[in-house]
């Protein structure tokens, strides 16, 4: 982990295949590689997951990583990590944690309040990382779909 990896905004083109929406299913948006991504309408309305991710980030991650993924003295900025690390490495770090001397990212693999919303947090940070959404609480959002609600119920048990 180096601060440098998170400082500069990544150069992302809107049609970047790692960002661009290839298809939508039940209110979830996906890239061509079947990786979750965000959707922001022209009027700024965000998809449900991005909004939900903002809320989950603020309850589980903000204490160390600071508001809006901008980092704190304790933990690095992670608003660019979702884009730079990619989905699978991002998930791996959150599930398993990571230790670098005194710098410790806890593991969240047993925490349903994180695990059931991992895609939400990921797409929220992805949107932040490419400045698709500004800092702060997203103003308007898509409705939560029945499919997302059902998956949440199953996941939370
Ligand atoms: C107790 C403090 C703490 C909490 C809470 C925390 N983190 Fe971390 N996180 C860290 C630290 C410290 C590091 C840097 C670890 C290192 O140096 O390897 C880190 C690193 C990371 C990284 C790797 C960043 C990169 O670019 O390499 C990701 C991704 C991450 N955290 C995501 C999250 C998410 C998502 C949450 C909320 C679910 C979260 N963290 C909650 C302290 C925390």
């Amino acid at each position: 982990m180096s601060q440098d990896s998170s400082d500069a905004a990544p150069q992302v083109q809107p049609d970047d295949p790692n960002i661009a929406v290839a298809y939508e299913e039940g209110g979830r948006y996906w890239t061509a590689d079947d990786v979750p991504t965000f959707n922001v309408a022209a009027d700024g309305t965000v998809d449900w997951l991005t909004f939900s991710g903002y809320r989950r980030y603020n309850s589980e991650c903000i204490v160390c990583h600071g508001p809006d993924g901008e980092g704190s003295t304790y933990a690095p900025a992670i608003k660019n990590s979702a884009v730079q690390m990619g989905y699978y490495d991002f998930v791996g770090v959150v599930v398993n944690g990571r230790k670098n001397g005194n710098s410790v990212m806890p593991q969240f693999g047993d925490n349903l309040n994180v695990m059931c919303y991992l895609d939400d947090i990921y797409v929220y940070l992805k949107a932040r990382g490419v400045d698709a959404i500004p800092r702060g609480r997203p103003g308007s959002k898509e409705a939560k779909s029945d499919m997302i609600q059902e998956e949440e119920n199953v996941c939370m048990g």
Side-chain angles (χ1 to χ4, degrees), residues 22 26 51 87 94 97 105 117 129 139:
F51 175 73
Y87 180 65
V94 181
M105 164 66 189
Y117 305 97

Side-chain angles (χ1 to χ4, degrees), residues 52-72:
S52 166
Y54 166 82
R55 291 201 311 196
R56 298 292 161 181
Y57 177 89
N58 278 276
S59 59
E60 305 291 343
C61 319
I62 192 173
V63 60
C64 293
H65 290 288
D68 308 306
E70 299 276 353
S72 73

Side-chain angles (χ1 to χ4, degrees), residues 1-2 5-6 56-57 59-65 74-78 80-82 84-85 89-91 93-94 98-106 108 113-114 118 121-122 125:
M1 177 64 224
S2 80
S5 67
S6 298
R56 298 292 161 181
Y57 177 89
S59 59
E60 305 291 343
C61 319
I62 192 173
V63 60
C64 293
H65 290 288
Y74 185 72
I78 53 169
N80 295 332
S81 300
Q84 289 171 344
M85 299 174 79
D89 285 351
F90 178 90
V91 167
V93 170
V94 181
R98 201 172 73 193
K99 196 173 185 311
N100 181 13
N102 290 332
S103 179
V104 179
M105 164 66 189
F108 286 94
N113 288 317
V114 175
L118 204 42
I121 296 170
Y122 171 76
L125 289 172

